[in-house]
Amino acid sequence: EIIVMIDGLHPQHAHRAAAYEEYKWRLIDLCAWEPEFRGCLPLVFDEHTHQAGMTRRALELVRTPLVFFVEHDTWPVGEIDWPGILRAIEEPGVNVVRLHIFDRVIDEHRHLYGEPMTIAGLPVVPTRAWSQRPHLARTEWYRRLIARYFGRDARTMIEDVLYAAMLNRLDAGLDAFAEWGVYIYAPA
């Protein structure tokens, strides 16, 4: 099942209301009639709710133990070992396996990553940095995360809050690797 979150229009974009309404109706129509979109549920928000608020609502509808989160502008590419990712996320302490958009860790971010390792045969790198890039996560863990870090009226991007939350753990000397259990799929 695929939940497509369709946000309400932000007031600052009121001048684009007609175009956005057209976009939303075309997307809803695809979900209803296009065979390739079978199984897609458009979750439409009448007012601007933003990513965190929409995700809170969408997670109420998820009936699976895992959720694959993909933003519309950062989709997965390349060969992905899905069976390996599923094996790894079943391991204790692994809450998220994120896909990376780069072929290497840039030097400015090196301090946010641990050493490459293998979990259940999957090559990964532990990370202390949250990114909203495509990721597979435990549904219940995600629900707890949203409840802990985002108030009911939060209107923000998830990454804007969680990146700082994880980094603050690092700055406080806490082991964000163990506490968060976030890994990046890292094939050679």
Side-chain angles (χ1 to χ4, degrees):
E1 297 174 336
I2 298 171
I3 299 171
V4 180
M5 300 184 300
I6 304 172
D7 204 357
L9 189 64
H10 191 287
Q12 80 182 73
H13 300 296
H15 65 284
R16 304 272 311 171
Y20 190 57
E21 284 301 311
E22 176 70 18
Y23 166 78
K24 289 192 319 187
W25 285 113
R26 285 177 185 241
L27 181 53
I28 292 166
D29 193 53
L30 283 172
C31 292
W33 301 107
E34 182 64 37
E36 292 179 12
F37 281 70
R38 177 170 283 138
C40 290
L41 171 67
L43 184 58
V44 182
F45 293 82
D46 293 330
E47 61 183 52
H48 179 66
T49 306
H50 221 315
Q51 189 179 58
M54 290 190 305
T55 300
R56 177 190 299 278
R57 177 66 182 103
L59 285 170
E60 293 172 5
L61 302 174
V62 174
R63 301 181 292 183
T64 56
L66 302 172
V67 61
F68 185 53
F69 197 109
V70 181
E71 294 177 320
H72 72 280
D73 61 346
T74 56
W75 52 88
V77 296
E79 300 260 341
I80 299 170
D81 180 5
W82 292 110
I85 291 174
L86 291 170
R87 280 192 315 274
I89 206 162
E90 289 176 353
E91 293 293 316
V94 178
N95 294 311
V96 177
V97 176
R98 179 165 57 87
L99 304 179
H100 205 266
I101 62 167
F102 305 111
D103 61 352
R104 63 184 175 85
V105 173
I106 59 176
D107 291 337
E108 294 82 9
H109 293 172
R110 171 59 51 203
H111 70 287
L112 300 172
Y113 297 90
E115 294 301 316
M117 60 194 306
T118 301
I119 297 178
L122 186 77
V124 296
V125 174
T127 182
R128 297 178 179 105
W130 183 269
S131 173
Q132 207 61 25
R133 301 298 185 207
H135 57 277
L136 187 69
R138 295 175 186 258
T139 303
E140 285 306 316
W141 181 86
Y142 221 115
R143 287 177 177 139
R144 287 191 306 273
L145 193 75
I146 293 294
R148 178 178 180 184
Y149 288 99
F150 300 93
R152 285 253 169 233
D153 296 324
R155 290 187 186 332
T156 185
M157 300 290 285
I158 293 171
E159 183 174 318
D160 291 349
V161 173
L162 294 187
Y163 186 87
M166 284 185 82
L167 204 54
N168 286 340
R169 309 309 256 187
L170 175 63
D171 291 345
L174 300 173
D175 186 354
F177 290 144
E179 183 180 356
W180 287 70
V182 178
Y183 296 85
I184 296 174
Y185 173 53

